[in-house]
Amino acid sequence: MRIERVADGVHLVRAAAVNWVLIDDGDAVTLIDGGYPGDAAAVEASLAAIGRAPGDVVAALVTHGHVDHVGGLAPLAARHGFPVLTGETEARHARREFLEQATPADVARQAWRPRVLVWAATIARLGALRSVSVPTARALPDGPLNLPGRPVPVATPGHTSGHTAYLLGDAGVLVSGDALATGHPITARTGPQRLPAFFDHDTARADAALDTLAALDAAVLLPGHGPAWRGTPAEAVASARGRES
Ligand SMILES: [Zn+2]
């Protein structure tokens, strides 16, 4: 696990296969996403590393309900009682009223990629095959949130039907989730990029979501997978699209 402070109070935590974000305003923490089921202890350790505890988390925001983004925060939310918030559609996804996630068969079809088998073993160890739900997940209120970082939710459907990015306007940080990544364990590519299409529920909508991200004002991109990237969302999207052609 690596923790990078990217702006005042804003930390990107990079675990073995996925990221999460901690926003500390001095006495409370907003958690954005929370790793695989096997990352729950790492989420707690990341809070300890910035001098905080799970009891300081006032809310967890979720970019999307995939097992690698809610698996680790689910037991912490149950134990510590903090709310878990995301877009209305994604809240239903996190509650597992439906599931839009690559299946083990989808992954098996990717086994020709050189890195897939190592990655699959890693995520299996982290609980990727467990069925996870967050029964307390609920819809965000509209507008800027009265939480550390004053995050503004940005609907970015495609990767999942309710995928939600978060703009931290004061810090100039865009938390893009899996709408726009900067790397992934199954690819050697670096820099802004879309995840491999088999991860997306709706690839066309995922591409359209890049236009939404490109219009936002930020100086740092914090993705769900890959390192922090410095530049505007417009530059990140242009770079990602350049790779597709
Ligand atoms: Zn992910």
Side-chain angles (χ1 to χ4, degrees):
M1 178 175 72
R2 277 181 288 168
I3 303 179
E4 182 185 354
R5 182 185 168 283
V6 295
D8 195 22
V10 181
H11 305 264
L12 179 69
V13 183
R14 298 191 62 208
V18 68
N19 302 338
W20 57 89
V21 175
L22 304 173
I23 308 160
D24 179 6
D25 75 354
D27 56 17
V29 174
T30 303
L31 170 66
I32 304 183
D33 288 349
Y36 282 96
D39 284 323
V43 174
E44 293 203 56
S46 69
L47 286 161
I50 66 161
R52 295 287 162 203
D56 298 325
V57 175
V58 287
L61 304 179
V62 168
T63 62
H64 63 295
H66 282 164
V67 63
D68 52 330
H69 297 256
V70 300
L73 67 79
L76 298 183
R79 200 177 324 136
H80 298 280
F82 54 76
V84 178
L85 306 170
T86 182
E88 185 178 358
T89 301
E90 205 58 30
R92 292 196 291 113
H93 191 206
R95 295 195 299 264
R96 289 297 181 263
E97 293 174 16
F98 60 94
L99 181 60
E100 299 172 341
Q101 185 168 281
T103 64
D106 295 329
V107 172
R109 278 192 287 275
Q110 302 295 322
W112 55 271
R113 296 176 188 256
R115 296 166 178 240
V116 162
L117 294 179
V118 170
W119 168 75
T122 299
I123 67 168
R125 200 169 60 239
L126 289 167
L129 300 173
R130 272 184 245 165
S131 62
V132 165
S133 78
V134 188
T136 59
R138 54 191 169 85
L140 290 157
D142 287 333
L145 303 170
N146 189 20
L147 295 170
R150 292 179 44 77
V152 178
V154 182
T156 40
H159 182 69
T160 60
S161 293
H163 187 286
T164 303
Y166 297 93
L167 181 65
L168 312 177
D170 300 340
V173 171
L174 173 60
V175 180
S176 59
D178 286 4
L180 182 57
T182 61
H184 192 277
I186 70 167
T187 171
R189 280 182 174 186
T190 59
Q193 57 192 280
R194 291 282 311 124
L195 292 178
F198 79 95
F199 286 123
D200 288 335
H201 180 66
D202 185 328
T203 305
R205 290 183 86 197
D207 185 66
L210 292 180
D211 294 324
T212 302
L213 292 177
L216 301 172
D217 186 13
V220 184
L221 180 72
L222 301 185
H225 302 271
W229 188 86
R230 286 174 198 279
T232 66
E235 290 165 344
V237 167
S239 174
R241 285 197 164 134
R243 285 157 192 279
E244 285 167 2
S245 57

